[in-house]
Amino acid sequence: MAFDLMVKRIYEPPAADDGQRVLVDRIWPRGVSKEEAALALWLKEIAPSDELRKWFGHEPARWAEFRKRYGAELDGNGEAVAQLRGLLRQGKVTLLYGAHDEAHNNAVALAGYLRAG
């Protein structure tokens, strides 16, 4: 099933075409108010474990292994994944993250996981 799914930094302003905005970080991003975030949901339960997040450290060399390990965590996190898939069935969803690296972060990995099935 093809989802209408976007990924963007939470520091970018909300846009009319964002659909439902879901923060997928375990930690609230610095300097962003709840009003500015304009979230439909803060799904911190779907974020990587603290252990995995600290191991990855946003090191591009660890990206492939991070995606593999995070995918395994998501496989065991059926409730949070089902909640997010439910939102996707309702329409467009934008996954939001706070990391500086736009290519190597948990939201990008999560989007890949969801698109893969």
Side-chain angles (χ1 to χ4, degrees), residues 7-88:
V7 176
K8 75 189 231 187
R9 287 192 81 216
I10 195 162
Y11 299 102
E12 296 177 41
D17 68 343
D18 281 349
Q20 297 190 74
R21 293 168 51 88
V22 179
L23 178 60
V24 294
D25 284 350
R26 193 170 301 277
I27 300 167
W28 188 265
R30 289 184 184 181
V32 177
S33 72
K34 302 242 192 252
E35 295 76 30
E36 289 172 320
L39 298 180
L41 178 65
W42 179 15
L43 191 58
K44 56 185 151 191
E45 299 82 13
I46 207 161
S49 65
D50 285 338
E51 184 177 88
L52 179 57
R53 181 178 55 81
K54 288 174 185 172
W55 171 84
F56 175 47
H58 297 281
E59 292 288 335
R62 295 182 177 166
W63 177 240
E65 182 63 22
F66 170 76
R67 289 182 62 204
K68 184 173 144 191
R69 292 182 188 189
Y70 185 35
E73 286 187 359
L74 290 168
D75 286 345
N77 194 356
E79 191 174 315
V81 172
Q83 187 175 1
L84 189 51
R85 287 190 192 281
L87 289 177
L88 284 161

